[in-house]
Amino acid sequence: MSSSSSSSSTSPSSPLFIAALIVLWYSSNIGVLLLNKLLLSNYGFRFPIFLTMCHMSACALLSYFSVAFLKVFPLQQIRSRSQLLRIATLGVVFCASVVGGNISLRYLPVSFNQAVGATTPFFTAVFAYLVTFKREAWVTYAALVPVVTGVMIASGGEPSFHLYGFIMCISATAARAFKSVLQGILLSSEGEKLNSMNLLLYMSPIAVLVLLPATLLMEPDVLEVTLSLGMKHRFMWLLLCINSVAAYLANLSNFLVTKHTSALTLQVLGNAKGAVAVVISILLFKNPVTFIGIGGYTMTVMGVIAYGEAKRRLK
């Protein structure tokens, strides 16, 4: 009797299982963000492209292991050359978003990075209109006004504002939104739909192939400096490995939370995650903040929540 009750308590539909998934989602997503900042700023590891390649390599290896051995999700086959080309296109855009985000963390505090990243719905709406001519209701667009206004206010009140870091952060956010719109278009036919984990399985090796020559060209001294830093900071290699594994776990938990709850739950968690990451980063890195910056970020988050609620009600 006790064995059956214990097995039901950890079944995929049990509150305990879902709570564990949410904890994994929070810890992996916030962990990647904070470890990126720690490596790129505090350890002098100034190689955001190589760091992204480490992430993508871990995603490629662990995705294959999850499919081939653990059977976490079923394998979906690529059905045509055109589908492969579409996946490759998504992979390149995905690379651009991750590299841009990592570069921005060299120059910006996590708190401001998260404030800018919260504008993703704005760029998604813009790209959806430009690419597919899809229009939202005016109420939905109105909800995006405080999203953008909040970032503008936060920018003016950010003591550690860096123009290049800001441009890279905006570029990364736009690329992330563009990828979501492209994904909806390129893999929209029933026969070519892929779930997010199969898409990651195929995109990751393509991303590594793109990032390898970019690393050699733009960060030619990466191996020499990384080995030197590894000897100086004995835990750096461990942090790099944990960071790369956490990048995969963030994608995996994202997929599993959506599968076992809903996309709306993930959206709500995402809104809260930014605030949690901001608080932890301020406590950890001691970066200065102002009331103007906090007010701007709060306005952005409230705008994102209003945007999500408007879209939900108008469905």
Side-chain angles (χ1 to χ4, degrees), residues 16-39:
L16 185 61
F17 178 78
I18 292 173
L21 283 182
I22 291 173
V23 169
L24 176 64
W25 185 87
Y26 264 104
S27 57
S28 58
N29 276 274
I30 295 176
V32 169
L33 189 65
L34 297 179
L35 284 172
N36 283 351
K37 180 63 179 177
L38 189 66
L39 285 166

Side-chain angles (χ1 to χ4, degrees), residues 289-312:
V289 291
T290 63
F291 284 112
I292 295 175
I294 293 172
Y297 178 67
T298 303
M299 180 182 291
T300 296
V301 172
M302 297 306 293
V304 171
I305 294 171
Y307 173 78
E309 183 64 17
K311 287 203 72 172
R312 186 183 69 81

Side-chain angles (χ1 to χ4, degrees), residues 11-166:
S11 66
S13 58
S14 71
L16 185 61
F17 178 78
I18 292 173
L21 283 182
I22 291 173
V23 169
L24 176 64
W25 185 87
Y26 264 104
S27 57
S28 58
N29 276 274
I30 295 176
V32 169
L33 189 65
L34 297 179
L35 284 172
N36 283 351
K37 180 63 179 177
L38 189 66
L39 285 166
L40 292 167
S41 295
N42 292 38
Y43 274 83
F45 182 81
R46 49 184 174 79
F47 304 109
I49 301 175
F50 177 71
L51 180 62
T52 306
M53 192 177 76
C54 291
H55 289 176
M56 292 298 100
S57 299
C59 286
L61 292 171
L62 293 173
S63 292
Y64 179 76
F65 182 76
S66 298
V67 172
F69 298 100
L70 300 182
K71 312 291 184 185
V72 175
F73 50 93
L75 177 65
Q76 294 174 287
Q77 299 289 346
I78 295 178
R79 297 179 179 273
S80 64
R81 185 177 296 178
S82 64
Q83 186 186 21
L84 179 60
L85 182 61
R86 294 169 187 175
I87 293 170
T89 303
L90 287 173
V92 172
V93 176
F94 183 57
C95 276
S97 69
V98 179
V99 169
N102 287 342
I103 291 174
S104 73
L105 283 171
R106 278 192 62 195
Y107 303 97
L108 299 176
V110 173
S111 53
F112 188 57
N113 177 279
Q114 288 296 284
V116 177
T119 60
T120 301
F122 168 77
F123 287 103
T124 303
V126 170
F127 285 127
Y129 177 74
L130 292 175
V131 177
T132 66
F133 302 105
K134 178 184 176 183
R135 292 188 179 184
E136 305 281 359
W138 70 269
V139 177
T140 309
Y141 287 123
L144 290 171
V145 174
V147 172
V148 178
T149 305
V151 169
M152 292 172 65
I153 293 172
S155 301
E158 175 54 54
S160 306
F161 181 83
H162 190 284
L163 181 59
Y164 178 66
F166 177 71

Side-chain angles (χ1 to χ4, degrees), residues 274-297:
V276 173
V278 166
V279 172
I280 294 175
S281 71
I282 291 171
L283 294 174
L284 187 62
F285 298 110
K286 304 288 192 292
N287 57 281
V289 291
T290 63
F291 284 112
I292 295 175
I294 293 172
Y297 178 67

